[in-house]
Amino acid sequence: MPDRDGPATNTAEELLASRELFEGILAIAADAVVSVDQAQRIILFNQGAERIFQFTAAEALGQPLEILLPTFARAGHSRQVERFGHTGVQARQMGERSIIRGRRKNGEEFPAEASISRIVVGGRTVFTAILRDVTQAREAEEAINGLNADLRRRATQLENANRELEAFSYSVSHDLRAPLRSISGFSQVLTEDYSDCLDEEGRDYLKRIGDASQRMAQLIDDLLDLSRLSRGEVRRAPVDLSALATAVIADLVAANPGRRVAVDIAPGLKAEADPHLVRTVLVNLLGNAWKYTSRKEHAHIVFGATTDEEGQPAFFVRDDGAGFDMAYADKLFGAFQRLHGMKDFPGTGVGLATVQRIVHKHGGRVWAEGVVDGGATFYFTLQ
């Protein structure tokens, strides 16, 4: 004979299991789930609601919904719930045009996103709101908006600075060169046509004027080159660095045929870079190595490659010349910074600043190691 209690028992067990499942989901939900009856009295208040509103369920159940709302929002919110109850819509997003506000037990207000639904249970209409505290999200959004505003302001400042730099470069190029050419030209005329009227000291003064004007002209050229690097684009292409280094050394040898320098250039060194800019890097680094080994009878220069501490390829130029004190290494790449006197080694102090700017435009970095009278090694990467 069949068990008449079997189907009813199974149904009861299924209902109990469904209820336990429902309660378990409510318990672990991070969002607040709050249900109210038609009188807008709280009849369900999950653990998420306890965390967000800081009321316990025992404190909230049976209380009017307005305890969870700021004073200014209570009347309007109650009318919205009533109107929603008379529509045929089963669910909608609350505060569609703006973030709604909630109120914690301690009176603190907070922004929230919420949705509301309605169901009829046992002839009673029950409204359920699922609410999420978006305080951190709003703070993060405000922080991002602030950063974006700051970036826009900085971009405007940079644009203005670039325009001023262009105007300055134009002024340097045109306004300073003319008087400089006059100084150099008249000094040359005095030297050629009136040197017999001057004693040795006077001729020495004229020579110093000529040398100074030439040095000033070189400074202007270097300054203009440095400013152009800030505006120019990097045009990458496959570059044979070994071939470039060989050509640079050949030019140095041709200009200084009396020097005895052993040069080792590693073969097959290649990179994706701007050929013109990278040549400028090698001209400066190899030129410095050539210059700072000038007091050695038998100098040695090496161009090779290694890896940095992150395992990325790094190229280097090494020499056994004058070197430098590592205590002043941070000054090496500053414009017009020099660690040696003009009488010892001529130059404008712009070459390494140019190298750094080019390397940075390629996404790389440049650094150096040296020992006084023990040579120097300059490393650079090209990303």
Side-chain angles (χ1 to χ4, degrees), residues 22 39 98 169 201 240 261 345 356:
F22 174 72
S98 63
S169 297
E201 185 177 14
D240 187 334
V261 182
F345 301 100
Q356 184 184 64

Side-chain angles (χ1 to χ4, degrees), residues 271-282:
E272 285 283 332
D274 187 304
H276 173 71
L277 294 179
V278 171
R279 179 181 175 84
T280 301
V281 168
L282 293 180

Side-chain angles (χ1 to χ4, degrees), residues 344-370:
D344 298 324
F345 301 100
T348 61
V350 178
L352 290 180
T354 300
V355 168
Q356 184 184 64
R357 193 159 297 184
I358 291 173
V359 170
H360 285 178
K361 285 178 74 71
H362 282 78
R365 63 190 186 94
V366 59
W367 69 101
E369 299 172 355

Side-chain angles (χ1 to χ4, degrees), residues 35-146:
S35 294
V36 299
D37 59 17
Q38 286 179 291
Q40 297 193 31
R41 296 277 175 176
I42 299 171
I43 60 174
L44 186 147
F45 200 77
N46 76 332
Q47 292 181 15
E50 291 182 323
R51 287 191 297 272
I52 291 174
F53 289 100
Q54 298 175 357
F55 287 97
T56 65
E59 293 172 323
L61 292 174
Q63 296 297 316
L65 179 63
E66 65 183 25
I67 69 168
L68 307 180
L69 301 171
T71 303
F72 74 87
R74 291 174 181 175
H77 186 80
S78 296
R79 288 193 297 271
Q80 288 179 13
V81 174
E82 289 176 2
R83 284 198 297 268
F84 176 65
H86 291 93
T87 68
V89 180
Q90 297 299 312
R92 70 175 176 84
Q93 188 74 20
M94 298 174 66
E96 291 176 339
R97 296 184 180 179
S98 63
I99 294 293
I100 68 169
R101 306 292 297 184
R103 179 181 179 275
R104 307 190 207 279
K105 182 179 178 180
N106 62 5
E108 177 189 357
E109 296 181 14
F110 63 93
E113 292 177 347
S115 60
I116 186 171
S117 63
R118 64 173 184 145
I119 57 173
V120 178
V121 180
R124 296 189 308 161
T125 300
V126 175
F127 300 94
T128 299
I130 300 177
L131 179 142
R132 174 170 299 171
D133 184 348
V134 295
T135 300
Q136 293 183 346
R138 289 295 297 276
E139 290 175 349
E141 181 181 357
E142 290 174 1
I144 291 172
N145 289 338

Side-chain angles (χ1 to χ4, degrees), residues 183-184 187-188 205-215:
I183 294 171
S184 180
S187 297
Q188 185 67 28
Y205 289 158
L206 277 178
K207 183 179 183 303
R208 292 188 184 187
I209 292 173
D211 291 344
S213 63
Q214 290 179 8
R215 188 162 65 250

